[in-house]
Amino acid sequence: MKTLQRKQMNSNTLLLVITIILFVVLYAAGCVAYAGRGFTHVQTFLNILINNAGLICVACGMTCVMLTGGIDISVGSLIAMDCMLLSVGMSQWGMNAVVMCLLVLVIGVAFGLVQGFLVGYLEIQPFIISMAGMFFARGMTAVICTEQVSITEADSPMFYSWANARINLPAFLGYTNNKGVVQVPYVRVGVIVALIVVIAIFLMLRYTKFGRSLYAVGGSEQSAAMMGLNVKMTKMKAYVLSSFLCSIGGICYCLNTMSGSVQQATGLEMDAIASSVIGGTLLTGGVGNVIGSFFGVLINGTISSIVQTNGRLASSWPNILTAALLCFFIVLQSVFALIKARKK
């Protein structure tokens, strides 16, 4: 058992180091190429966190599911349903922001329970179940409202204040603009929530029985069952956790957009999967780390930021580069698996 854990740790560490180095190289390249356009400012990096706070939460949940050897492609549609529910609830139904956020979290848990039960206990393929969940959540978004709905200060002063709250960092990290005004760097509430999620899931995976169970089930379901682990319950809990974190991400996403629409967060599930894989999570399960997934999100965000700063590249380039990185890491994972198999 200790040998298996040591091999998993070595795989985790190596893939994590590669991901971090890739992020540093990409960001450094952006700083060198676009230093004159403000890419070296601390706020540029913080903006990547602000724009991807919801995706960070979703990627953490996706990592937990993928550790068991599963997958969840319903998260983008669930985000859209959450945002629409929040928007309509506060702007049209006159509901309190706290009540609506709690309702969204409860719906996320219920959504995860259904998917987790079907995957864990009925042993239906995760892709099929989560695809059904994707269609259901996207359809329910349209049932709630077919038009784009925005949240204004008049609709919910509390939610509006959360969305516009700035948490300032030390002034020496800022810069002086052309008018001689010091621009103090800041983050939004969603970033704090996302960072808390990353830390909490990292500690859960590393130090709790449930976290170790996710690795064990993904490594070998048969071996996990022989060790006395409840494989079915572990899988169900993984999907509940994923949907719960997705709902937290939905709140962060809505704080950033302050609106809801049927087409919102389209393709976000692919971004979450790509971030997890780039972060070192194996598609076959058993190996992964939320810190790597966090840096996977940062890599995607950095690519988008570089393309936007350039201003002349087509908007499709971030998807192309992400696809290339995804293929690279999948090949890299295959090489590691082949080396590991030969050593055995």
Side-chain angles (χ1 to χ4, degrees):
M1 182 66 181
K2 291 183 178 179
T3 303
L4 176 61
Q5 289 180 339
R6 190 180 302 112
K7 288 182 178 179
Q8 289 178 337
M9 186 60 64
N10 290 338
S11 299
N12 273 322
T13 303
L14 184 56
L15 290 171
L16 177 60
V17 169
I18 293 173
T19 302
I20 294 175
I21 291 175
L22 179 60
F23 165 70
V24 172
V25 170
L26 274 175
Y27 200 84
C31 290
V32 172
Y34 303 110
R37 300 187 185 184
F39 206 92
T40 56
H41 296 160
V42 174
Q43 190 59 52
T44 300
F45 172 74
L46 298 179
N47 286 339
I48 295 176
L49 292 176
I50 293 171
N51 295 332
N52 293 281
L55 179 57
I56 291 172
C57 297
V58 175
C60 288
M62 185 67 71
T63 300
C64 294
V65 168
M66 290 176 66
L67 283 175
T68 66
I71 200 165
D72 186 357
I73 63 171
S74 68
V75 292
S77 298
L78 184 56
I79 287 276
M81 186 173 71
D82 291 339
C83 290
M84 182 64 82
L85 190 59
L86 289 168
S87 300
V88 172
M90 287 182 277
S91 65
Q92 298 182 11
W93 301 342
M95 300 293 289
N96 180 270
V98 175
V99 173
M100 290 306 303
C101 288
L102 291 176
L103 177 61
V104 162
L105 295 178
V106 171
I107 290 175
V109 171
F111 195 87
L113 277 171
V114 173
Q115 291 199 138
F117 176 78
L118 294 174
V119 172
Y121 284 88
L122 299 188
E123 298 183 354
I124 304 175
Q125 285 294 327
F127 181 83
I128 299 300
I129 294 302
S130 58
M131 183 172 64
M134 176 183 68
F135 288 133
F136 173 80
R138 190 68 67 175
M140 285 302 300
T141 304
V143 169
I144 297 170
C145 187
T146 57
E147 300 177 353
Q148 182 170 334
V149 182
S150 299
I151 304 172
T152 64
E153 185 175 8
D155 297 327
S156 178
M158 181 183 295
F159 198 79
Y160 188 86
S161 65
W162 294 347
N164 289 277
R166 290 188 176 190
I167 302 170
N168 292 329
L169 300 184
F172 70 85
L173 294 175
Y175 66 96
T176 304
N177 62 16
N178 296 331
K179 297 181 179 179
V181 179
V182 177
Q183 302 295 310
V184 179
Y186 65 89
V187 294
R188 302 287 188 183
V189 173
V191 175
I192 303 301
V193 173
L195 293 178
I196 291 174
V197 167
V198 171
I199 294 172
I201 300 302
F202 172 78
L203 295 176
M204 182 272 292
L205 290 176
R206 190 174 181 86
Y207 297 109
T208 68
K209 180 181 178 181
F210 174 61
R212 293 190 292 270
S213 298
L214 294 177
Y215 285 103
V217 170
S220 173
E221 290 187 21
Q222 185 177 3
S223 298
M226 292 178 63
M227 289 189 295
L229 298 177
N230 190 331
V231 175
K232 295 181 179 180
M233 178 62 73
T234 300
K235 285 186 175 182
M236 187 177 78
K237 287 181 178 179
Y239 282 88
V240 172
L241 179 60
S242 175
S243 294
F244 178 72
L245 294 179
C246 183
S247 291
I248 294 177
I251 296 172
C252 294
Y253 198 96
C254 193
L255 284 171
N256 193 38
T257 61
M258 291 298 285
S259 65
S261 69
V262 176
Q263 299 303 321
Q264 201 165 33
T266 301
L268 186 135
E269 61 276 356
M270 296 299 110
D271 292 333
I273 294 171
S275 298
S276 298
V277 173
I278 291 173
T281 303
L282 293 184
L283 292 170
T284 53
V287 175
N289 192 300
V290 290
I291 302 300
S293 300
F294 172 72
F295 277 98
V297 174
L298 291 184
I299 287 173
N300 288 333
T302 300
I303 292 173
S304 297
S305 184
I306 289 175
V307 171
Q308 291 172 5
T309 303
N310 179 276
R312 292 178 294 179
L313 295 174
S315 58
S316 59
W317 272 105
N319 293 332
I320 295 172
L321 294 176
T322 299
L325 288 176
L326 188 58
C327 291
F328 169 74
F329 275 91
I330 290 175
V331 171
L332 193 64
Q333 290 176 4
S334 300
V335 171
F336 287 161
L338 183 61
I339 293 175
K340 183 178 179 180
R342 287 184 174 180
K343 285 183 177 179
K344 289 181 179 180

